[in-house]
């Protein structure tokens, strides 16, 4: 190798550059962020309960962290399955260790068709395509993941509803009642959604739900855990 970085072969200088292609998967970062937000919601709740309920600004911060945890957990759930299909498109068998080349090719072949579909359908499709056992839709962890996506969507595309004419919010109440501790900073006079729902209990449930679903999917598909 010469001083100017040119390779010398047989007395002939050969120069050039090699550009590496880089991409980054976000599912793990989303879930880590959701876990951080859930912990912050817990810290705020604990401090306020120890000193008696504080001002509106403190309550707003607690709810903000709870919302952030739910939204990021839902994002992590969606990002993960997209990353699985795109790793197959890239023929990244290190990321898909446990699958063979034929199975990865099947996932890659179907990506364009499946890409616009809902996230949970993508998970089910991958399992079905490779002859694995699908998630029973009415049972945990699929039902929990479905509820998480619905809650995330209700926040991301929020539409106010009158308390005597509930639709989406009534469905969330039916789905999520008993799944987690309600927000201790919201009294019974507050609406269930969003006030009573969005506390640290909901935040931790969201992260746990996303992690449990993804890990069960990886076990069913036969690949190493993604998050």
């Amino acid at each position: 190798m010469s001083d100017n970085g040119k390779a010398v072969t047989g007395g002939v200088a050969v120069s050039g550059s090699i550009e590496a292609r880089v991409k980054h998967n976000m599912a793990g970062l989303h879930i880590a962020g959701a876990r951080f937000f859930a912990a912050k919601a817990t810290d705020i709740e604990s401090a306020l309960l120890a000193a008696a309920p504080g001002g509106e600004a403190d309550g707003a911060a607690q709810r903000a962290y709870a919302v952030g945890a739910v939204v990021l957990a839902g994002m992590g759930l969606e990002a993960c399955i997209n990353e699985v299909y795109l790793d197959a498109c890239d023929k990244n068998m290190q990321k898909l260790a446990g699958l063979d080349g034929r199975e990865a090719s099947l996932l890659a072949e179907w990506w364009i068709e499946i890409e616009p579909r809902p996230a949970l359908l993508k998970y089910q499709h991958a399992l079905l395509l490779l002859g694995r056992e699908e998630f029973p839709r009415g049972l945990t962890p699929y039902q929990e993941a479905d509820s998480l996506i619905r809650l995330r969507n209700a926040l991301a595309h929020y539409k106010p509803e009158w308390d005597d004419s509930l639709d989406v919010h009534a469905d969330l109440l039916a789905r999520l009642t008993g799944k987690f501790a309600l927000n201790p900073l919201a009294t019974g006079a507050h609406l269930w959604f969003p006030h009573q729902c969005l506390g640290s209990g909901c935040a931790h449930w969201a992260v746990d739900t996303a992690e449990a679903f993804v890990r069960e999917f990886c076990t069913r598909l036969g690949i190493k855990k993604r998050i």
Side-chain angles (χ1 to χ4, degrees):
M1 180 70 70
S2 65
D3 291 339
N4 62 4
K6 295 181 180 180
V8 179
T9 306
V12 178
V14 180
S15 63
S17 62
I18 298 175
E19 295 183 0
R21 300 180 72 204
V22 179
K23 67 163 58 173
H24 179 71
N25 287 351
M26 288 290 292
L29 184 60
H30 287 329
I31 297 300
R35 182 68 71 190
F36 171 78
F37 282 174
K40 293 296 289 184
T42 298
D43 291 343
I44 292 172
E45 283 179 18
S46 297
L48 289 175
L49 291 172
E56 182 63 26
D58 286 331
Q62 173 250 19
R63 288 191 297 275
Y65 280 121
V67 170
V70 172
V71 172
L72 278 175
M75 289 168 60
L77 197 62
E78 295 205 4
C80 182
I81 188 59
N82 291 339
E83 291 165 3
V84 168
Y85 278 95
L86 287 169
D87 282 339
C89 291
D90 293 338
K91 297 180 173 56
N92 190 337
M93 301 308 295
Q94 181 179 2
K95 289 283 187 69
L96 297 176
L99 302 185
D100 59 34
R102 180 192 64 83
E103 291 171 327
S105 294
L106 275 174
L107 291 175
E109 180 181 343
W110 276 90
W111 169 242
I112 293 178
E113 178 69 24
I114 201 68
E115 191 274 333
R117 307 294 183 178
L120 296 188
L121 189 149
K122 294 177 186 177
Y123 281 99
Q124 294 284 62
H125 179 269
L127 294 170
L128 179 64
L129 188 64
L130 301 190
R132 310 303 201 262
E133 185 178 358
E134 295 176 79
F135 289 100
R137 292 175 181 264
L139 302 176
T140 299
Y142 186 95
Q143 191 174 55
E144 300 274 295
D146 187 34
S147 295
L148 169 59
I149 294 295
R150 289 170 186 262
L151 177 58
R152 189 282 311 272
N153 289 346
L155 292 168
H157 312 290
Y158 183 76
K159 297 179 180 67
E161 296 181 352
W162 292 107
D163 62 349
D164 59 353
S165 182
L166 299 177
D167 181 17
V168 172
H169 301 177
D171 177 65
L172 292 174
L173 173 60
R175 285 173 166 272
L176 298 176
T177 294
K179 299 293 186 183
F180 47 79
L182 296 181
N183 178 8
L185 305 182
T187 68
H190 289 89
L191 291 172
W192 186 87
F193 183 79
H195 305 98
Q196 295 183 51
C197 173
L198 294 173
S200 66
C202 179
H204 285 284
W205 167 84
V207 187
D208 292 343
T209 292
E211 288 185 335
F213 184 83
V214 168
R215 288 174 181 174
E216 175 63 19
F217 168 77
C218 292
T219 297
R220 287 171 180 261
L221 196 64
I223 60 176
K224 61 185 180 182
K225 67 180 183 179
R226 307 283 297 195
I227 58 175

